[in-house]
Structures are given as C-alpha cells and as structure tokens.
Amino acid sequence: FATTSVIAAGSDFAGPYAGLRMTAAGAVVDGSASNGNAETTNGAIGGIFAATGGEAGYTLPLGDSPGFVSVGASFISGGATFAIDAGAGAGRGDSNDATIEIKDHWSAYIAPGFAISDTAAVYIKGGYAHADVNWEGDISQGPKWIEGFTGAVGTKSMTAAGLFIQTEAGVNLYDDVNFTRLTQSSDTSTVQSGGNATGRPMVAYGAITIGMKF
C-alpha cells in the first residue's frame, strides 16, 4: 500500500473530461394521501427505467499526493412514470386516474477521489440534483420540477491515452412534493377539489460512463 501511494498521483487524472453515461435506475415515491373526510393512507409507488446521457467536468490534483477533486455535471434523459388508479367504485372511472412522470435528471457535483495507481482511482460524490415532473389526469396542481441532493461512490479506470471507464452507484434524494387530486360532482360541469397527497421521491441508480480526459 505504501508503494502504491508513491507511484500514484492525482495529477494523472487532472484536466477536463467528458463522456457518454448509461444508467439503470429505480424510482420510488413514498408518501401519504388524505381525502375529503380527513382519512389518511400511506404507501409507495415505484418504477424502473434505463436512460442515456452525458457527463462533463474538470479534475484538480491535490499537489503531488494521490488525492484529487473533480467538479462537474451529469444528465440523463428519460425517467419513470407512476400510475395512480382511482378504482372503479362510487362512479369513478379512467377520468379520475392520474400519472406522474419524473424525468430528465441532472446534477452538479463535487467528487473528491484517491488514485490507487496511475490508471485507477476511487471517489465519492455529493451535490445538487434536479428533475422535471409531468403531471397528467386527475391532478389540479403539482410542481413542474423537483430538486434535492445526489450522493454516490465510484471507480475510474483510465488508459495512457486518456480514455476512461467510470462505474458509479448512487442515489438522488428529492424534497417532498405536494399535489391535489380533482373529483367531479354528479354535475360534470362542476369540478371540486379532492384529496391532498405528499410524496418523497427517491432515485437509486447504477451508471457506467465511457469518455475521454483531455
């Protein structure tokens, strides 16, 4: 281990980098809902999705030590869609159903790392996460986007020419979101407010990035 510390330097990974990112992720919204009678239910809905995107940043060496710090941003397109079925009772039909899509995730991060050789390194990552939200169906209001924290651990392997492969496992924890369901009275021309719900979105992911250090 002492020998590795001597031959490995963070400067081996220094400089700008960019790559293609491939991600497999699972998204969960855990929360509660209340109806007009103040009755509360708790539960979770989830989905799995795969997406592609990109990552770019800059790595700064910490002197002659094996340590370095990367600052960058990543983006993945696509996302997970959650369906909320209102059921078939009390005159409810498909018009009372709703869907929530959490998509197009991007993050800005700081990632301190440690070179274990001149071609391999490990790192941890933390930063800001953002995602767009699309609401459809029996929902009167909801945020168009959500934000929160991203954290991850990963490894990077690099050739002498600067080509690298990066593997990463992480999680995006988003702030709570609130929305209101709609209900329709027997007079379909009248729309009344329905129940309220609060959810806590979370996305756990695994990603592989193939790119180049310039």
Side-chain angles (χ1 to χ4, degrees):
F1 183 83
T3 303
T4 299
S5 298
V6 172
I7 65 174
S11 58
D12 294 327
F13 296 84
Y17 60 89
L20 175 66
R21 185 179 178 92
M22 293 159 284
T23 303
V28 176
V29 178
D30 183 15
S32 61
S34 60
N35 58 23
N37 296 324
E39 298 170 331
T40 301
T41 57
N42 298 281
I45 51 178
I48 298 174
F49 67 96
T52 59
E55 182 169 358
Y58 193 94
T59 298
L60 302 169
L62 299 179
D64 295 329
S65 73
F68 60 83
V69 176
S70 297
V71 179
S74 62
F75 172 81
I76 57 172
S77 62
T81 300
F82 308 99
I84 302 175
D85 190 345
R92 294 187 298 268
D94 292 342
S95 62
N96 294 107
D97 294 343
T99 59
I100 305 170
E101 182 183 17
I102 302 177
K103 61 180 183 177
D104 297 341
H105 303 261
W106 69 267
S107 62
Y109 61 81
I110 297 176
F114 185 89
I116 57 177
S117 75
D118 57 352
T119 60
V122 294
Y123 65 88
I124 59 173
K125 176 186 291 186
Y128 170 83
H130 178 284
D132 292 335
V133 183
N134 183 40
W135 311 80
E136 295 183 0
D138 189 28
I139 297 178
S140 66
Q141 61 184 7
K144 297 298 183 182
W145 50 270
I146 53 178
E147 58 184 358
F149 169 81
T150 184
V153 295
T155 65
K156 178 179 284 189
S157 299
M158 187 176 64
T159 67
L163 180 67
F164 69 84
I165 297 178
Q166 180 175 291
T167 61
E168 181 176 299
V171 61
N172 292 353
L173 301 175
Y174 293 106
D175 295 337
D176 289 0
V177 293
N178 301 288
F179 61 93
T180 302
R181 296 287 306 277
L182 290 177
T183 58
Q184 290 192 349
S185 66
S186 57
D187 178 5
T188 58
S189 65
T190 302
V191 178
Q192 301 173 337
S193 295
N196 299 314
T198 299
R200 293 173 294 277
M202 180 187 75
V203 176
Y205 68 88
I208 296 176
T209 301
I210 300 175
M212 178 68 68
K213 180 187 79 72
F214 303 99

